């Protein structure tokens, strides 16, 4: 028996019976009075009084109703669904409606209705649809059973119907098509069980993923096919795209690609552009798709006149010229229009106008090839914030969200402050999405702010492994919770291990110390450094630190840190060594100013970063010195995938109160800080044992140019060329004269220069960096390094 052995057999039989019964009744029966009463019947039938019922001409009165075949559904319920009653009329039309009503419930697979013209007893014969006992999916590997079950509108213990199963089958096929499997097949089957129950089994043949073998553009003259392919999401199938699903055929993605093409052309001034058609065709072997886009580019337009037309009285005299991104004669760009709309919206929002609508309207002059752009400001009113609602935060406390908002209940509505509030909430790193929107309040001059956040995972457990030419094999364990107790507190346990470094660190940060926008934290750490080969010592440091910081301006932060630690130095007993390695404690206070407007913290492509700090060691402890450091970085995109990176950093350390500066407190340069030279590779060096002595002053300037190397962008591989320039110098020994020091150490302030190239790969296993560096200006005693390789990952 197939799962669809459900027919209208009973319905057809009932209609035929009614026709015959009506014909006999027309000959034998006498007309009934207009009103008739009904009495009870037998067989568990539902009964109802019918006094006062109007009997249509040509109809007869139901004396009793008998229901047969119902197992789960009560007879009274069946009669209620049927829409008839004892004492009511019956005829062909009424019986037809009864059959339809019962089938419409979905509870019955077969319905038959008959009437005895001698007794006027109506018999409803039913075959109930079975109940689904369980649902099973077989053959599904690409999509889990749980996900498939969530997509179908069927569950155990619901009524089985052919229509529902057909709909579920179509939905499953749609899910597989969306995942690129157009050859998938789904066959539903049933296994009959006792008590009119069935097991529903979907046999799935997922088939092969149907990929896009080729993308064709027709009608494009201004832009090459390769350029347009870079603007859409769908990609042509290639062997290296094993981590991507964008090369599978998805009609919804193709529809979105149409919109992306439209935006691209509008961004470049093609106002009349349209996608005439997009056609996806299966190849003859049915293994892949070929997508063809037919385009109508039209003419490219320049910007003509620009104007802001305000219907708001208080804004009619405002000069918006600085807010308009485009100049006359520039190529028209829809992006510039969007930015202008946002600029004007922010400007009027700062004046307290919440619902001012900025509508850009363009006027084409096809002959001259220009577009006049008019920005219309619709009337709005000054309103105040009635209430602020916060929703979506299941773990994060409301106060964490509220303290980042720059507006409060009762304030005048300000779109600029709302926009900045959204940025502040995003910067917390606690939410995957933040939506701050306003709606009319309870009175005409009020608004309600709805802050809808979606929390993201803030706990981290990561195990890392890697290798670098500096530290050798690297491993790390990191446990972090960035939203401890829902208060945005940051708790971190970190352990790093390599052949040169063993670090253990525990830190806790409170972002709102004493209910003020001041961050505070404490650190506990143990650091071990093995620089025996480079500088002749092994050091171990144990200490703690207290820190706090606050924001001066949106991009400018000031931090303070006090630390006290104890360090011990293990020397390698080299004869006549210049190593200064006294054991002791250091008590230091550090102040730093940080400015950061980069577009990304981890992989910036645009923006500026600076960090200047001053440290004084000598608030107690064994050692005393001043240390000054600075680091600057500037990122500039010359063109897509051509990112220039300019970095400069330097420092100076100077003894205080006549104390000695240890070798371990000096600066060391090389490796990543100066490619082409080894770690600890440049600067003063002991003539006797070739140990690096470090330096008390250094500077390094690095320029790096990233560029594409012809490989597909999704591989994440870019070429890099660099030039590094800098020097490390100045060492002081109170017990040695300048002549003695010159005899025992290599001292030279001459700048070193290196050039080189390499590539960076953002691999699925972690970042990989390979550089080939070649010093072009060096000293004979410098330690050179041609290849620098770094690989790291976290699981």
């Amino acid at each position: 028996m197939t799962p669809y052995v459900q027919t209208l057999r009973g319905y057809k039989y009932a209609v035929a019976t009614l026709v015959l019964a009506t014909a006999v009744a027309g000959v034998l029966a006498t007309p009934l009075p207009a009103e008739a009463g009904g009495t009870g019947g037998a067989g568990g039938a539902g009964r109802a009084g019918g006094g006062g019922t109007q009997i249509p001409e040509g109809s007869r009165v139901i004396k009793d109703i008998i229901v047969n075949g119902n197992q789960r559904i009560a007879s009274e319920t069946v009669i209620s669904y049927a829409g008839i009653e004892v004492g009511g009329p019956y005829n062909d039309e009424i019986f037809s409606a009864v059959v339809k009503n019962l089938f419409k419930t979905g509870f019955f697979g077969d319905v038959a209705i008959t009437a005895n013209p001698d007794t006027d007893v109506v018999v409803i014969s039913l075959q109930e649809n079975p109940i689904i006992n369980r649902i099973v999916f077989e053959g599904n590997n690409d999509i889990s059973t749980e996900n498939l079950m969530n997509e179908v509108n069927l569950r155990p213990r619901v009524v089985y119907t052919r229509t529902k199963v057909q709909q579920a089958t179509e939905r499953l096929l749609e899910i597989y098509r969306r995942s690129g499997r157009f050859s998938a097949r789904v066959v539903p089957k049933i296994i009959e069980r006792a008590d009119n129950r069935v097991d529903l089994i979907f046999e799935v043949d997922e088939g092969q993923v149907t990929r896009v073998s080729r993308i064709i553009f027709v009608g494009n003259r201004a832009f090459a096919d390769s350029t347009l392919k870079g603007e859409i999401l769908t990609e042509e199938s290639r062997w290296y795209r094993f981590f991507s699903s964008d090369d599978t055929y998805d009609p919804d993605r193709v529809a979105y690609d149409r919109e992306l093409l439209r935006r691209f052309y509008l961004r470049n001034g093609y106002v009349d552009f349209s996608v005439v058609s997009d056609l996806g065709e299966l190849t003859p072997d049915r293994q892949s798709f070929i997508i063809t886009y037919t385009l109508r580019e039209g003419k490219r337009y320049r910007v003509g006149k620009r104007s802001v037309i305000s219907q708001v009285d208080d804004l009619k005299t405002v000069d918006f010229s600085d807010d308009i991104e485009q100049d006359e004669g520039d190529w028209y760009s829809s992006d510039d229009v969007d930015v202008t709309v946002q600029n004007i919206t922010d400007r009027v929002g700062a004046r307290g106008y919440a619902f001012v609508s900025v509508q850009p309207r363009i006027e084409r002059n096809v002959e001259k090839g220009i577009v006049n752009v008019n920005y219309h400001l619709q009337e709005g009113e000054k309103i105040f914030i009635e209430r602020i609602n916060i929703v979506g935060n299941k773990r994060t406390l409301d106060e964490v969200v509220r303290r980042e908002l720059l507006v409060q209940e009762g304030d005048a509505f300000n779109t600029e402050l709302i926009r900045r509030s959204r940025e502040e909430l995003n910067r917390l790193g606690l939410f995957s999405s933040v939506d701050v929107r306003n709606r009319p309040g309870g009175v005409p001059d009020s608004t309600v702010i709805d802050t809808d956040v979606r929390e993201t995972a803030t706990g981290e457990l990561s195990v890392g492994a890697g290798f670098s030419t500096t530290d050798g094999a690297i491993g790390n364990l990191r446990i972090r919770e960035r939203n401890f107790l829902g208060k945005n507190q940051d708790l971190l346990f970190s352990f790093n291990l390599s052949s040169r470094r063993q670090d253990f660190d525990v830190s806790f940060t409170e972002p709102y110390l004493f209910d003020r926008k001041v961050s505070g934290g404490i650190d506990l750490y143990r650091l071990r450094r093995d620089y025996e080969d480079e500088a002749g010592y092994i050091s171990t440091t144990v200490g703690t630190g207290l820190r706090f910081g606050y924001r001066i301006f949106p991009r400018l932060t000031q931090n303070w840190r006090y630390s006290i630690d104890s360090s011990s130095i293990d020397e390698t007993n080299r004869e006549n060594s210049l190593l200064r390695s006294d054991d002791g404690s250091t008590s230091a206070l550090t102040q730093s100013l940080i400015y950061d407007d980069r577009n990304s913290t981890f992989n910036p492509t645009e923006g500026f970063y600076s960090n200047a700090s001053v440290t004084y060691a000598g608030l107690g402890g064994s050692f005393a010195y001043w240390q000054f450091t600075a680091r600057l970085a500037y990122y500039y995109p010359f063109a897509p995938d051509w990112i220039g990176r300019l970095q400069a950093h330097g420092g100076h350390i100077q003894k205080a109160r006549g104390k000695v500066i240890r070798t371990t407190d000096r600066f060391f340069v090389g490796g990543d800080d100066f490619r082409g030279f080894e770690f600890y590779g440049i600067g003063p060096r002991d003539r006797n044992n070739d140990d690096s002595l470090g330096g008390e002053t250094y500077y390094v300037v690095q320029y790096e140019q990233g560029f594409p190397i012809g490989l597909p962008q999704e591989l994440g591989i870019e070429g890099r060329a660099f030039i590094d320039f800098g020097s490390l110098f100045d060492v002081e020994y109170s017990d040695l004269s300048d002549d003695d020091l010159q005899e025992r150490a290599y001292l030279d302030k001459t700048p070193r220069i290196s050039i080189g190239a390499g590539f960076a790969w953002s691999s699925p296993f972690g970042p990989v960096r390979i550089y080939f560096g070649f010093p072009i200006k060096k000293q004979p005693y410098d330690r050179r390094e041609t290849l620098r390789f770094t690989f790291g990952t976290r699981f």
Side-chain angles (χ1 to χ4, degrees), residues 373-393:
V373 186
N374 302 316
Y375 299 92
H376 290 257
L377 276 62
Q378 305 297 328
E379 185 70 35
E381 60 177 319
K382 195 169 185 177
I383 62 175
F384 297 88
I385 299 174
E386 174 186 312
R387 188 174 66 257
I388 298 177
N389 297 326
I390 299 173
V391 296
N393 54 320

Side-chain angles (χ1 to χ4, degrees), residues 144-161:
S144 68
T145 297
E146 180 182 0
N147 289 337
L148 293 178
M149 181 66 77
N150 291 334
E151 295 294 338
V152 298
N153 191 26
L154 290 172
R155 293 292 182 272
R157 296 183 298 279
V158 302
V159 176
Y160 168 94
T161 68

Side-chain angles (χ1 to χ4, degrees), residues 492-512:
L492 170 68
F493 296 87
S494 177
F495 180 70
N496 298 285
L497 176 65
S498 71
S499 58
R500 297 179 186 272
R501 304 160 59 107
Q502 294 88 46
D503 300 345
F504 177 74
D505 181 41
V506 180
S507 69
F508 174 80
T509 303
E510 166 57 60
Y512 257 75

